Amino acid sequence: MRLGVISVLSLFLLILTATVPPVVPTGVYRTAAQYRRQQPAPACSDVRLSDKRGSLVVTQQRGPARLKTLVPLDSVWGYVNGNGRSYRLYRGEEFQIQQADTLSIYSFQHLSHGPYQPSTGSYFFSRGLNGMIFPLTQKNLRLAYEASNPAFVEAIKDLGFTQSLSDYDVAAGSFRVVKLYRSTLGK
């Protein structure tokens, strides 16, 4: 009887942990490799871009005290904030990582400057996690991949008017453009 209860509890815990994604600790990534391993260093309670845009403000909880440290941007690849959102820093701007892949997708939030102007978002891409970041347009993708993957360049030309490069396929868990890229590798 007791062994049966333990087996049922073990099975329940296995199912529960299999469906819950791991929590990424808040902190700073010095390299793309740290981001891939989801191991920020230092781990902390909060990270934000400084108002002066020259550093990150890293907050660490030390008992009842909160210690704030400034980390220079030139020593940082990216960070994950207290909300679990990961960002890559590139040329003094923060790009939210949407999909990290051989073709990585980012978003950038343009803040409004007037009371009736909504905030707008734009999508960007890079070749891998260390490549230069460009706006996600057919022209930029063609320039980046024309020599290395002509089949991909042809595939994005065939997108219809109702299809966007930034469309996200929930069932596949991927952006349309990344799926297209993967499907053309080796052709």
Side-chain angles (χ1 to χ4, degrees):
M1 174 78 171
R2 187 173 183 169
L3 186 60
V5 171
I6 292 173
S7 297
V8 170
L9 286 174
S10 297
L11 181 62
F12 176 74
L13 286 173
L14 180 66
I15 292 169
L16 182 64
T17 57
T19 58
V20 177
V23 176
V24 179
T26 303
V28 176
Y29 298 118
R30 303 288 182 167
T31 65
Q34 282 183 326
Y35 169 77
R36 277 189 218 101
R37 291 189 308 267
Q38 301 292 294
Q39 295 176 333
C44 55
S45 59
D46 191 33
V47 179
R48 65 178 173 78
L49 202 54
S50 168
D51 292 338
K52 296 181 176 126
R53 296 275 187 182
S55 58
L56 287 176
V57 178
V58 176
T59 306
Q60 294 176 307
Q61 197 70 36
R62 301 287 168 113
R66 294 178 65 160
L67 175 66
K68 291 188 178 188
T69 308
L70 295 178
V71 178
L73 293 183
D74 60 0
S75 68
V76 173
W77 179 87
Y79 68 95
V80 59
N81 67 15
N83 295 331
R85 293 188 185 108
S86 292
Y87 294 87
R88 177 178 170 198
L89 299 175
Y90 182 75
R91 295 188 176 171
E93 298 291 339
E94 58 184 350
F95 294 85
Q96 185 175 353
I97 303 167
Q98 298 296 326
Q99 185 169 352
D101 208 308
T102 316
L103 168 62
S104 295
I105 305 296
Y106 310 89
S107 63
F108 182 83
Q109 191 72 26
H110 302 280
L111 300 175
S112 65
H113 295 292
Y116 302 108
Q117 297 174 334
S119 295
T120 59
S122 299
Y123 287 92
F124 294 80
F125 77 96
S126 69
R127 292 180 67 150
L129 287 171
N130 285 319
M132 294 172 56
I133 296 179
F134 299 101
L136 183 61
T137 65
Q138 283 193 14
K139 178 183 176 185
N140 288 337
L141 287 167
R142 185 181 72 244
L143 291 171
Y145 290 100
E146 201 164 37
S148 64
N149 193 342
F152 173 59
V153 172
E154 287 302 315
I156 59 174
K157 284 181 187 175
D158 293 338
L159 285 176
F161 288 109
T162 60
Q163 297 175 322
S164 170
L165 293 170
S166 61
D167 286 345
Y168 188 79
D169 183 344
V170 176
S174 180
F175 280 83
R176 175 188 313 268
V177 69
V178 176
K179 280 179 50 181
L180 273 174
Y181 177 77
R182 285 184 189 156
S183 71
T184 59
L185 288 175
K187 289 187 177 183

